[in-house]
Amino acid sequence: MPHHTPYASSRLVAVLLALLCTVAVLTAVGSSPSAAAPSTGASARGFEPMRPGDKGWRVRVLQSRLHQLDLHSEVVTSRFDEETRAGVATFQRRRGWTADGVVDERTWLKVVSLTTEPTTEALHNVYTPGRPLLERGDAGMRVRQVQARLKQVRWYDGRVTGRYARSTVEAVKGFQAKRRIPVTGQVDRRTLTRLEDMTSAPTKAELFNIVPQGPALDPRCTTGRAMCVDKSSRSLRWVVDGVVLRTVEVRFGSDELPTREGAFSVFRKSRDHVSSLYDTPMPFAMFFSGGQAVHYSPDFAANVYNGASHGCVNVRDRAAVAWLFDQVRLGDKVIVYRS
């Protein structure tokens, strides 16, 4: 029968205790939450949705990722505002999901899968200048367009020249500084996009410094094609892209039958029209409001302002109204106003 010494028994107990401890540690590690792979935006109680009105770093990251998808501006704010909600809703709508603008777990995971981790610069609105598209020394129509647009937002007050000189550089710098774009005085893609978003396509008058003659044009006359009828100056000006191409004298209806004021469009043209109501000739009639039209008037030609129309806009110059009739298209604007 083997004889066990006290020393051997002690060693056996120590080995058994060590094995028990190892098993306990392994069991604890296997069941520990920290051993699980981290989830994107999830907590122990699940994903926390992001909603309009929320604030914080997660919103900032969301905005930066939405910008990568062209669904948010480059500037991030940490505030879940209307721009952010609209971007999220558009993202959801494109996938046929409920477009409520709330970032649930499915929306967040899809946004993350389509974007890259935002850089420190992007998250703190620190931008680097892009490749210059226009810079000092350049010349041409593209420079004119930039100058005219800068003039619309009152950063450039000189003449539109098409030459990228010092005054244009300073105007671009001011525009960039106001919008937290790297201040270089050069027009990069970021600067041009922001400028185009804030302005309208320049008219011919804006591009070539053409100042309308006579009383001020109604703002509605400065774009597109318009017969601009000014009751105060008793004139009709044919305006295309802000440039006055022809001016004629006109007269209007009486107090009993006034010419209507407002914004209209030409819906009918009749070269040899005769009024069915008054049985009077209305050559070169261009109708804009019910039975009211711009047309030649023999009575106006003969008696000038000693009389009135039945509400129409009478023209006394037959050759001028005949020319105008050939220029005007259906759908062209007719603006009747007082300057």
Side-chain angles (χ1 to χ4, degrees), residues 19-257:
L19 288 172
L20 288 172
C21 289
T22 301
V23 171
V25 168
L26 291 174
T27 300
V29 169
S31 62
S32 172
S34 63
S39 60
T40 307
S43 65
R45 62 180 182 277
F47 182 84
E48 293 289 343
M50 286 179 273
R51 297 181 170 84
D54 286 354
K55 296 180 181 180
W57 189 255
R58 282 206 312 159
V59 176
R60 202 173 189 87
V61 174
L62 169 67
Q63 291 172 335
S64 187
R65 287 185 181 273
L66 287 174
H67 170 66
Q68 294 180 37
L69 300 170
D70 293 326
L71 294 173
H72 195 278
S73 65
E74 196 167 18
V75 178
V76 296
T77 65
S78 299
R79 296 186 301 276
F80 201 124
D81 53 12
E82 176 55 30
E83 181 186 8
T84 309
R85 188 209 64 77
V88 172
T90 300
F91 181 84
Q92 294 168 325
R93 192 177 301 111
R94 289 175 179 174
R95 284 152 185 83
W97 302 345
T98 301
D100 56 8
V102 174
V103 182
D104 56 11
E105 187 170 13
R106 177 173 68 166
T107 302
W108 174 246
L109 292 175
K110 189 63 175 177
V111 168
V112 169
S113 72
L114 296 174
T115 55
T116 59
E117 192 69 28
T119 63
T120 300
E121 289 78 9
L123 291 172
H124 291 88
N125 296 314
V126 178
Y127 310 132
T128 54
R131 181 179 64 83
L133 304 177
L134 293 169
E135 57 188 333
R136 188 166 187 171
D138 288 343
M141 181 56 70
R142 294 177 69 199
V143 177
R144 280 187 181 274
Q145 291 170 343
V146 166
Q147 290 173 330
R149 287 181 183 274
L150 286 168
K151 208 163 186 176
Q152 289 181 25
V153 290
R154 305 194 177 189
W155 279 108
Y156 182 78
D157 57 7
R159 286 178 60 80
V160 175
T161 63
R163 296 187 298 276
Y164 206 122
R166 180 178 176 180
S167 58
T168 307
V169 171
E170 294 304 315
V172 171
K173 283 183 175 180
F175 179 82
Q176 291 170 328
K178 179 74 173 179
R179 281 143 196 94
R180 294 188 287 182
I181 297 172
V183 180
T184 62
Q186 301 169 328
V187 177
D188 60 4
R189 174 55 56 191
R190 181 187 289 115
T191 303
L192 184 59
T193 298
R194 197 73 56 84
L195 182 60
E196 289 177 339
D197 287 344
M198 295 179 62
T199 56
S200 58
T203 65
K204 184 177 179 180
E206 290 174 320
L207 290 171
F208 295 96
N209 309 291
I210 301 172
V211 179
Q213 299 298 312
L217 286 172
D218 185 287
R220 295 169 293 183
C221 296
T222 58
T223 59
R225 301 161 55 87
M227 284 193 284
C228 200
V229 182
D230 183 355
K231 284 188 172 181
S232 299
S233 63
R234 296 192 292 195
S235 66
L236 182 156
R237 284 174 283 182
W238 172 236
V239 187
V240 178
D241 293 331
V243 179
V244 178
L245 301 181
R246 193 80 178 246
T247 302
V248 295
E249 292 180 76
V250 292
R251 74 175 182 181
F252 309 99
S254 62
D255 291 338
E256 292 77 22
L257 295 170

